[in-house]
Structure formats: C-alpha cells, structure tokens
Amino acid sequence: MPTVFVLAWSSAYVVGDLGVRSTPPFTLLLARFGLAAVCMLVIAFVTKAAWPRGGRALAHIAVAGVLVQGVQFLAVYTGFKLGVPAAISSLVIGMNPLLTVLLARPTLGERPAPKQLWGFLLGATGVVLAVAKGLDFSEQYLAGIALTVLGLLALSGGTVYQKRFCPEMDLRTGTAVQLVASTVLAAVCAFTFEDVHTDNFGVFAFSVGWLALVNSILAFTLLFVMIRRGEVGRSSTMFFLVPSVTAMIASVTLREPLSWYAVGGFVLAAAGVLLAAQRRKGRSTQGV
C-alpha cells in the first residue's frame, strides 16, 4: 500500500506540470475533480455505501476535502503555472510529515517516540538533498513558492482535521463528498479568474484522466486508509519519499537528468520512513 501510494502521488507532480502547460490550472483541476467526483458517486451508489449522518458530519468531511484536495492543488498548480518545477513543488509538499506531526501533537495527542523524531529529521534531510541541485530562489519563483507553501499548509491541516473530525468516514461516500466540494471550489476559481480552454486536447485528456483516477481516487483512498489504520504523523512519513521518486519519474518521462543528489536523498528519506514508522514498545504513542 505505501509503495503504490508513493508512486501514484509522485506521478501526479509530473502529470500536473505537463497539464498546466496547455491548460489553465483551475480549468485543469475543475475537469480533474469533476471526473473523479462522478466516478466516486457512481461507486458509492452502486455499492450502496453509507452516507454521512447529519449536516455536521457532512460539513466536516467537505471541509477536510476542500483543504486536502481543493486548496492544496489549486495552490500547487498555480505554482506550476508561475514556473515552479515539479521537483521543487514536491520538495515543499514533502515537508508535510514535519508539519503534520507538529499539528497532530496538540490536536490529536500524538506524541512521537525518539526514533520517530530521528526518522523525521533524517527524512527531511533526504527531501532537501533530493532536489538540492535544482533549488532556485530567484524572484520569479517567490509567488509560486508562496502558493506551494499554502498548498502544504492546506494538506497538513486537512489531514489532521480529517483524523480529528472524520475518523469513521466511509471512504466511498466521504471521498465523493470531498471531490464534489473541491469541484465547486475549482469551478468558482476557473470561471472567475480564467478563460476556460485548452491548447492541446490530447494532453488535457490524458492529464485529467490520470490525475482523477490515479491521484484523486487511488492515492487519496490509500492515504485515508493509512491515516485510519495508524497515527497521522506515521502515515504522512510516506511523503518523505515523494521528491526523490518524482525526480526519478521526471528523469524518464521528461528526460530530466537524475542527479546523485536525488539518489542519495532517496536513500536517506527511505531510512527516515523506516524509523518514523516504528511504534513505541510497551506504551501507546497516543498520550501526551
């Protein structure tokens, strides 16, 4: 499950970067969320999945979805359009485990063990090393990087929010609700700020199909399952592997050279995940 999640999530950066080259970011996300929402609604109705009980439960699920899916990707894809490369974007989002564990302690009472803290530090070092050669802090990237950081805040905050307020959410109906809410947000942004069009329908169709099915449905379902089975901090450590894997995928699909920085970063990030994924022996990690 973690391996498939990392591959699916990493591929989305490359495909998303490719998609915004021919289609405005909000328009691309409107199509992505819309297609994914239709698919999940069909799955939910066919399987007769249980829907949230009460308006409050529905609202919590929608808020979590808007943060984790809507705000995150609206910000990240706009960053792509402003020139932030996929590797740099994945580096910023790759800091999600550190931010998530900081948010999880006061809100969920999750207290990482010493080995986990070392794992977080090692994983973060691997993330930075993986794309260190491509870092560029010139002025042209500042706005895009700021938006990508906003996407990071939305992802981490939404992950903790979902664990706190939607622990028993049915993945079929819950994901459908979240995608519908994100579609509405993307539609408002697209029709307000963009000329809805595409310059290359083939690339657009491929990008939307991949992002909707592989990322919005498959990757997020795996993420929610991992969150439900374990602590938020431990589950989110998988993001440490994303920048290196993204660099590897880009080296094959976009023919971007794979540096030794990426290889070394992958090894460190993998070691960090192994450490951070360990539970304490003899006591729960849930208490403060």
Side-chain angles (χ1 to χ4, degrees):
M1 185 182 300
T3 301
V4 176
F5 167 76
V6 171
L7 290 173
W9 196 278
S10 300
S11 68
Y13 286 98
V14 176
V15 177
D17 195 358
L18 177 66
V20 298
R21 297 179 185 183
S22 61
T23 306
F26 299 158
T27 301
L28 182 67
L29 286 168
L30 171 59
R32 165 187 172 167
F33 292 147
L35 175 60
V38 170
C39 292
M40 287 308 303
L41 286 170
V42 170
I43 292 173
F45 282 115
V46 169
T47 60
K48 298 181 180 180
W51 289 88
R53 296 182 179 180
R56 178 173 295 183
L58 188 66
H60 282 314
I61 293 173
V63 169
V66 166
L67 288 172
V68 173
Q69 296 238 30
V71 177
Q72 180 201 176
F73 289 112
L74 288 169
V76 169
Y77 280 35
T78 304
F80 285 154
K81 199 67 175 180
L82 293 175
V84 179
I88 302 301
S89 181
S90 67
L91 165 66
V92 175
I93 302 300
M95 295 299 179
N96 174 56
L98 292 176
L99 182 57
T100 298
V101 78
L102 292 176
L103 294 174
R105 177 166 182 173
T107 58
L108 302 178
E110 294 188 2
R111 188 176 182 180
K115 284 185 178 181
Q116 291 177 309
L117 292 175
W118 281 110
F120 292 138
L121 179 60
L122 193 60
T125 302
V127 166
V128 174
L129 181 62
V131 293
K133 194 174 182 179
L135 288 176
D136 184 348
F137 293 106
S138 61
E139 292 184 2
Q140 63 181 331
Y141 288 105
L142 290 180
I145 289 176
L147 284 169
T148 307
V149 171
L150 174 62
L152 167 64
L153 294 173
L155 172 61
S156 299
T159 299
V160 174
Y161 187 96
Q162 176 154 319
K163 179 70 174 182
R164 174 68 176 81
F165 294 104
C166 318
E168 303 300 327
M169 179 189 82
D170 185 287
L171 292 178
R172 295 159 294 180
T173 56
T175 302
V177 169
Q178 293 183 338
L179 286 168
V180 169
S182 297
T183 301
V184 173
L185 176 62
V188 171
C189 292
F191 288 106
T192 301
F193 301 108
E194 293 179 344
D195 174 20
V196 179
H197 74 286
T198 181
D199 297 327
N200 189 323
F201 184 78
V203 172
F204 169 77
F206 168 75
S207 299
V208 169
W210 185 275
L211 294 170
L213 301 178
V214 176
N215 192 247
S216 284
I217 294 180
L218 175 60
F220 273 93
T221 297
L222 294 176
L223 175 62
F224 295 157
V225 169
M226 289 188 293
I227 290 173
R228 180 172 295 180
R229 290 183 176 180
E231 299 167 14
V232 170
R234 293 175 63 247
S235 300
S236 64
T237 56
M238 294 299 106
F239 284 91
F240 280 141
L241 298 175
V242 170
S244 296
V245 176
T246 299
M248 293 178 183
I249 295 175
S251 70
V252 175
T253 58
L254 303 179
R255 300 193 180 281
E256 297 179 357
L258 181 62
S259 69
W260 286 107
Y261 288 89
V263 177
F266 178 81
V267 174
L268 286 179
V273 168
L274 291 176
L275 281 176
Q278 294 182 20
R279 293 182 179 272
R280 289 186 179 186
K281 295 181 179 181
R283 62 183 296 185
S284 171
T285 58
Q286 295 295 323
V288 176

